[in-house]
Structure formats: C-alpha cells, structure tokens
Amino acid sequence: MLKKKKILIRIGSLRHGGAEKVLVTFLKNISPDKYEVDLLINLYSGIYIKEVPSWVNVFYLLKGEMITTNRPQDIPVKAYRVLYQKMFLWFPSLLYKFVLKNKQYDVELAAIHGYYREILSSPQKDSKKIIWVQNDIFNLKEYTSDVIRQFFKFDKILVISNKLEEEMHKLAQNEAEKQSVIKIFNPIDKEDTLKKANTAIDDYPFDNNIPTFVSVGTVYPQKGYDRLLQVHKRLLDEGFNHQLVIIGDGYDLNNIQTLLEQLGLQKTAKMLGFKSNPYPYLKKADFYIMSSRHEGFPTIIAEALILNKPISATDISGIKDLLQDGKLGTITPNSEDGIYDGMKKFLTDKDLAEEYKKQINDTDLPFVLEKSVQKLQEIIDEV
C-alpha cells in the first residue's frame, strides 16, 4: 500500500472569502487514500468549518468569532489574540510540539499569501514548502519587492492569474526561481453553484422589471463599494433607471451604509449583509458588477459566469483571464469613470447582455473543478 503524504495546511480562519472557499473545495475533492491532511486554523470560526471533510484533522490556536469592528470593548480581545498568535510565530517549536503533537510533515502549505512567515519559520527543515498566492500582492502596500522575494524560499509558488505569474517572473533572479512559479486556476464547483442558485428566497428586495446589478463581497475598501454607490447615483441623476444589490459584510459596512443614506439611495440600492448562499440573488439580478480596486482571483466572477450573468468588471488581477480578454464580459478601467462606462453600456445597449450570454454559453470554462484539483494534486505529488 502506498504511503500517504502528510500535509500541513495553514490559514487564518474559514470565514466567508474566496481563498477559504477554494481551500475547502479542494479538500472536499482530494483523496483521503493518498493524503493525510492536518489543517491548522489560527481562529476557529467561519461558515466553511462545517464543510471540511471529516477525514481532515483540524487544529486551531483560538476559538471564537472574528472581530470586524473597532469598538473599545473589543480591543483587549483583539490584542490578546494578536499576541497569542505572534508567540507561535516567534517560538514555532512550541506550536509544533504542543499543538501539532510533534507530527512530521512531507509538505507544508500556506493557503494564502499572508501565512508565508508561518510556513517559512517551520522547524521542519526537510518538508517541502508551498505558498498559494490568492490576492494581487503587488497592489498591497506592505508587500514590497523585498517581502515578495521571500516567497522564492518556497519550493513552489502557486499563483492564480497571468498577471501574478508575470510579476513574479520579473522578480525572479534565475531560471529555477521562475520555474517555481506555477499558474493554477482556483477550483470552482459548478454543480454546487447551480444547485445553490436554485434555492428559493423570499427577501429579494426589488421589482424584477427594472434592470438590477448585483455585487457580492466582503465590505472592505478594496471592493470599491464607495465608487459603486457614487456611480449608481450619477446614472440615476442622468435618468438611467436601475437598481443595485450589495451582498456581504465587513469592517467598512457602516461607512458604506452611511454613504448610501447620504446619497439618498435607500429606494434603489440595498445592502443585504452577509448571505451564506448569495447565488439565488445573483441568479435573479440582470447583471454582475465588480467595482474592486484590487483582487487576486475573484471567485465570484467565475461563479457569475457559471450562472451565465453578463459582467462588467474593473481591470484587476485575474479578470482578463476569467473574462478571456473581454470576450465573456466588459473589462473597464479601474476607476469611477470605468465603472460608470461599464454599467451605462448595459443600460443603453440591450443586445450586449445577450451577446455575452451566448459567448459564455458557448465557452468551455477553464476553472472547472476536476482540472484544477488534478493539477494541484500533481504539484503536491511531484514536490
């Protein structure tokens, strides 16, 4: 019988997010006969916890809900959590001895870029190290060239878009470093997405006869919802009747809700908060709008394609790959004017949406589950 490969995977939590969902989708589709997986979560919380397969061993540093606000009463808890997690980063041998029970690993994987220090500080020098870069780190201030150069200490660097691959290649200092960078599409479970989209909902907030845009994502500044609301107002003022649904929560939620009210958009724009199943709302809307300032691989765009939605998206990492350079949707400049142009196109050109739907329908989408999972397994097997 083949010896199972022992793998340690690290991530912050399993809260709603693209990288978290992708990791759980991957775990649900690999073979327990080939791998023994330990999943170490810093904070045991999130909707995807219950979806982790029972054969995966789950370890955690802390338990409790993620704190997304800055209320004074939350500060002591946040400070304690940060220090507790830092202790294991400073003294990794304590983590491997007391939490992971001295287990030896063949492969250690950082499931998101933010865990590069945790994996590189591992006392297990013989294990192969892999990092999965799920965001456009070249747009994040704290990720200077010197910081990103640290990633080349990993045996393999998985990236999720052509843009990330090109940027990593520019930083590589030799051919071996270039070869360590591998582009892999995030696995999307098409059947699961279609099944969830058919769930009945009774809180859809709008009249079906008015063009409706939907956007789904954690409410952070990077998502550009401030820009989206300004554009929504601008289009309404110009006489373009339409509606907007934003699904998600996050630390910027109150600011965006306040802006919505200041702009007087209560009747035409709705923030529905977090939905564990956003797909029925996506299915009911006419168009998907992405206003993000930066992303890695926007999983929701792949899911919108699966649901055959006409899409307008800002030109961020992963979009050209997903929308096939504009064949499957509108790619606009990453600005307020760009978002405006994209939405206006759908509101003025009635045929455009149908053209995109036909193109999506006729295209073999590259991020299908089986292909991505197979490639990731090959990387782990060969490392």
Side-chain angles (χ1 to χ4, degrees), residues 92-202:
S93 55
L94 294 178
L95 173 72
Y96 282 74
K97 183 175 180 182
F98 294 108
V99 179
L100 298 172
K101 315 295 183 198
N102 286 321
K103 192 162 172 186
Q104 294 296 309
Y105 297 102
D106 301 303
V107 177
E108 296 186 73
L109 168 69
I112 51 174
H113 61 276
Y115 279 71
Y116 73 95
R117 293 183 209 85
E118 280 80 354
I119 297 294
L120 290 178
S121 69
S122 165
Q124 297 193 12
K125 300 305 171 199
D126 292 337
S127 71
K128 298 296 183 183
K129 314 283 194 294
I130 300 173
I131 186 165
W132 202 344
V133 183
Q134 301 255 7
N135 207 331
D136 186 1
I137 48 176
F138 294 92
N139 254 318
L140 303 176
K141 283 194 194 82
E142 64 270 34
Y143 284 84
T144 61
S145 296
D146 287 345
V147 171
I148 299 171
R149 278 283 318 149
Q150 300 279 313
F151 290 16
F152 289 105
K153 293 177 180 173
F154 284 84
D155 296 281
K156 296 291 177 195
I157 304 165
L158 310 184
V159 296
I160 52 179
S161 71
N162 287 325
K163 181 176 180 251
L164 280 170
E165 184 179 43
E166 285 160 17
E167 295 290 347
M168 290 303 295
H169 280 173
K170 283 181 201 166
L171 276 186
Q173 291 177 354
N174 53 52
E175 198 52 40
E177 287 189 348
K178 271 190 181 175
Q179 294 293 325
S180 71
V181 180
I182 299 171
K183 192 184 88 172
I184 177 168
F185 277 108
N186 278 346
I188 309 292
D189 191 334
K190 182 178 178 179
E191 297 312 312
D192 185 56
T193 303
L194 290 169
K195 183 177 154 199
K196 284 178 176 170
N198 286 326
T199 308
I201 49 169
D202 54 14

Side-chain angles (χ1 to χ4, degrees), residues 287-379:
F287 316 106
Y288 190 87
I289 180 71
M290 172 157 277
S291 55
S292 294
R293 291 179 166 94
H294 58 88
E295 293 275 348
F297 177 96
T299 307
I300 191 69
I301 293 291
E303 291 161 337
L305 287 171
I306 285 167
L307 295 175
N308 207 9
K309 285 292 140 188
I311 295 160
S312 176
T314 46
D315 188 3
I316 47 163
S317 176
I319 281 293
K320 283 185 173 146
D321 303 345
L322 281 162
L323 297 184
Q324 299 189 3
D325 291 321
K327 179 184 153 194
L328 305 183
T330 299
I331 302 171
T332 71
N334 192 346
S335 64
E336 208 169 287
D337 284 343
I339 298 162
Y340 168 86
D341 289 339
M343 291 175 77
K344 189 176 174 181
K345 262 187 194 169
F346 282 135
L347 294 172
T348 53
D349 183 350
K350 302 295 181 216
D351 297 329
L352 186 62
E354 293 310 313
E355 283 169 28
Y356 282 135
K357 283 182 182 177
K358 185 180 184 308
Q359 288 289 359
I360 295 164
N361 212 33
D362 294 347
T363 300
D364 183 19
L365 300 171
F367 42 77
V368 293
L369 187 66
E370 295 75 17
K371 289 181 193 170
S372 296
V373 170
Q374 187 186 347
K375 185 161 184 185
L376 195 47
Q377 286 190 165
E378 283 168 10
I379 292 161

